[in-house]
Amino acid sequence: KENGGISTARNFGLKNIKSEYVTFVDSDDYVHENFLKSMYDKIVSDDYDFVVCDLDLAYPDGKLERKSSLFEKDLTTPKEIKEKMYDFYPIVANKMYKTELITDDNLFHEGVLYEDVEFMYRLFSKVKKIGVVDEGLYYYYQNSTSIMHTFNKRLYNYVDNWNYIFDYYKEKDIFTQYKDVLEYSFVRYTYAT
């Protein structure tokens, strides 16, 4: 398709996907040779909704630095999953998902930064089980000139993304159930950003 940015590419793929599982690898990142096998073996082992692995920050000089996924163990109860929403790294990379969880109401918001955050927080409302692969299998390339490391007025999209998240939970009539974790996460991530 014509280049329209990362979200349009992901959405195009998701609308045309035929597989039972999906993962995302950004164009400047790379994965370990066992990434797909390890993630697939874990997701099918106990019918997880998604699985996550640690990632390594990959620097231009070849240095690798392990970054924990912040998922210390498999999560199999609603309480554990909701608690994890307070503290996780909200990117779509380093994960494999059941494709059936990604529907028209939680595709990527196009034309904004931090689309991963909105995607992940909406997805959490559908998740019943999360599996953990305790290995660094995703290499997240660190480029000091990338849009994630420079100031851009689109950083303010972050507030819009959280408004979209709140609206989504209200439309699904589950906002009250998640209000504390969503408000806390909004303040935490906005402050950090």
Side-chain angles (χ1 to χ4, degrees):
K1 68 176 292 297
E2 185 178 334
N3 186 7
I6 192 167
S7 292
T8 60
R10 287 173 176 168
N11 288 341
F12 180 82
L14 289 168
K15 289 175 183 175
N16 291 282
I17 196 167
K18 305 281 191 273
S19 65
E20 195 173 346
Y21 303 101
V22 63
T23 188
F24 303 95
V25 181
D26 289 348
S27 61
D28 51 353
D29 298 340
Y30 57 102
V31 296
H32 189 278
E33 62 187 11
N34 294 328
F35 173 78
L36 289 175
K37 181 177 183 346
S38 296
M39 300 293 272
Y40 176 79
D41 287 349
K42 181 67 178 188
I43 203 167
V44 299
S45 70
D46 199 20
D47 194 31
Y48 291 103
D49 292 312
F50 77 81
V51 294
V52 57
C53 67
D54 287 345
L55 50 83
D56 285 343
L57 304 180
Y59 293 92
D61 64 2
K63 178 184 165 201
L64 296 176
E65 179 185 337
R66 179 63 46 88
K67 183 162 182 72
S68 169
S69 69
L70 302 179
F71 286 79
E72 296 80 20
K73 65 183 181 92
D74 298 339
L75 307 175
T76 58
T77 69
K79 182 179 180 192
E80 289 176 324
I81 290 167
K82 185 178 176 185
E83 286 296 314
K84 183 44 62 185
M85 291 173 70
Y86 282 101
D87 182 33
F88 77 104
Y89 196 41
I91 61 170
V92 299
N94 80 319
K95 298 170 182 71
M96 180 178 281
Y97 311 84
K98 274 187 182 176
T99 305
E100 67 186 36
L101 290 178
I102 306 169
T103 56
D104 287 343
D105 67 351
N106 67 324
L107 291 172
F108 290 91
H109 199 109
E110 298 181 11
V112 298
L113 293 181
Y114 303 107
E115 70 286 339
D116 288 21
V117 175
E118 184 182 348
F119 177 87
M120 289 304 303
Y121 273 91
R122 284 183 288 150
L123 186 73
F124 257 87
S125 70
K126 299 179 175 186
V127 169
K128 306 233 180 331
K129 290 168 70 173
I130 301 170
V132 177
V133 176
D134 192 22
E135 298 177 69
L137 300 173
Y138 189 95
Y139 300 96
Y140 189 27
Y141 189 70
Q142 302 299 292
N143 178 352
S144 62
T145 62
S146 78
I147 198 162
M148 301 308 291
H149 292 93
T150 57
F151 178 78
N152 182 308
K153 286 186 179 182
R154 289 192 304 155
L155 285 170
Y156 299 114
N157 291 157
Y158 204 64
V159 174
D160 295 331
N161 290 347
W162 277 98
N163 285 329
Y164 299 140
I165 293 167
F166 291 162
D167 289 346
Y168 175 85
Y169 276 78
K170 288 173 184 174
E171 287 167 16
K172 299 293 179 189
D173 202 26
I174 54 174
F175 181 74
T176 303
Q177 176 186 347
Y178 289 93
K179 182 178 185 290
D180 291 346
V181 68
L182 293 175
E183 288 182 348
Y184 171 85
S185 299
F186 167 67
V187 171
R188 177 177 178 241
Y189 287 117
T190 302
Y191 181 75
T193 302

